[in-house]
Amino acid sequence: MDPIAPDFDTRVKLAIYRHFADTARRPEVSEIARAVESSPADVSAAYGRLFKSRVLVLEPDGTSIRMAPPFSGVPTQHRVVAGDREYFANCAWDALGILAALHAPGVVHSRCGQSDEAVAFDVPADGPLPTEWVFHCAVPAAQWWNDIVFT
Amino acid sequence: MPMRPVVRMDQLWGLSVAWYATRLQAAARRPGPDEMREIFAGLGLHGSFWDPQADEFS
C-alpha cells in the first residue's frame, strides 16, 4: 500500500467537497488535479479509492461524481438554495445535510413521495422549524449501500 | 416484512448534523456501525431497521 495515499486521498476529498460547496456543481477530474497540484491520472486513482471506501459514488465512467454525500453530482428533485447558490441533494436527508455541512440557513425544495406535492422549507442554520412533514425511509440501514443511488 | 419507519423533521435534522456537519473538514468520516447505532438511538430511532448489521435485512 502506498504510504502517502491516505493524505493524498484526503486532499482530493476535501478539494471535491470544497468545489461542491463553492460552486454547487460536481468538479471535473482536471479541476481537482489543479486544486491538489497533481495529475488527472493520480486524481482518478484517488476517486477509485474514495469510491471503494464509500466516500464517493461514481458514474459508470469511473471519473464523474454521481454523489459526494450530501451533494449530488446530477440534478435531482431535492434542491437546496443557500446564499446565491442552488445545490442538488441525493434525498431529503441529504438536503438538510447540505445545510448542516455548510453551516448555513437555506430553503429546501422537494416533493412529497406520496402525493408528489411540491414542498419547500425555510431552514434556519440551527435546523428546521416544527412541521407536520415526515421523512419516509424505505431501505433499512443494513441495505443502504446495496444500491445507494436507489436508497 | 418489517415496518418501514417515518422520521420526524427534528430527527432528520439530527441525522443530517451527525453525518454531515464536519463533512467539509479533513477529519470528517462516515460513522461506523456502533456509532450509527448510537446516533440512531440518541434520536429515538430504535429497532433492527436502523441496525446497519441487522441479519434480517442482509
Side-chain angles (χ1 to χ4, degrees), chain B residues 10-27:
Chain B
D10 62 303
Q11 293 173 312
L12 189 62
W13 176 250
L15 292 174
S16 299
V17 170
W19 251 256
Y20 297 124
T22 63
R23 193 51 63 106
L24 300 181
Q25 301 170 15

Side-chain angles (χ1 to χ4, degrees), chain A residues 13-14 17 54 69-70 93-94 96-97 100-101 103 125-128 131 134-145, chain B residues 4-9 12-13 15-17 19-21 23-26 28 30 36 40 49-54 57-58:
Chain A
K13 179 186 76 172
L14 286 173
Y17 274 98
R54 297 181 173 178
W93 178 347
D94 282 1
L96 291 182
H103 298 273
D126 58 353
T131 171
V134 294
F135 170 72
H136 176 69
C137 191
V139 180
Q143 295 180 354
W144 284 350
W145 282 88
Chain B
R4 269 41 177 170
V6 294
V7 179
R8 299 189 315 268
M9 205 57 70
L12 189 62
W13 176 250
L15 292 174
S16 299
V17 170
W19 251 256
Y20 297 124
R23 193 51 63 106
L24 300 181
Q25 301 170 15
R30 296 175 59 249
M36 290 172 67
F40 294 141
F49 184 92
W50 299 104
D51 184 344
Q53 295 175 318
F57 295 109
S58 298

Side-chain angles (χ1 to χ4, degrees), chain A residues 19-75:
Chain A
H19 188 283
F20 268 106
D22 289 346
T23 71
R25 297 293 176 265
R26 66 183 175 187
E28 300 294 330
V29 167
S30 59
E31 293 174 299
I32 299 303
R34 280 196 297 276
V36 300
E37 299 178 326
S38 186
S39 70
D42 284 348
V43 169
S44 293
Y47 274 28
R49 292 188 293 271
L50 292 169
F51 171 70
K52 286 181 180 175
S53 59
R54 297 181 173 178
V55 173
L56 302 177
V57 177
L58 302 176
E59 302 281 21
D61 66 9
T63 57
S64 299
I65 297 172
R66 173 64 183 265
M67 298 179 175
F71 300 103
S72 172
V74 297

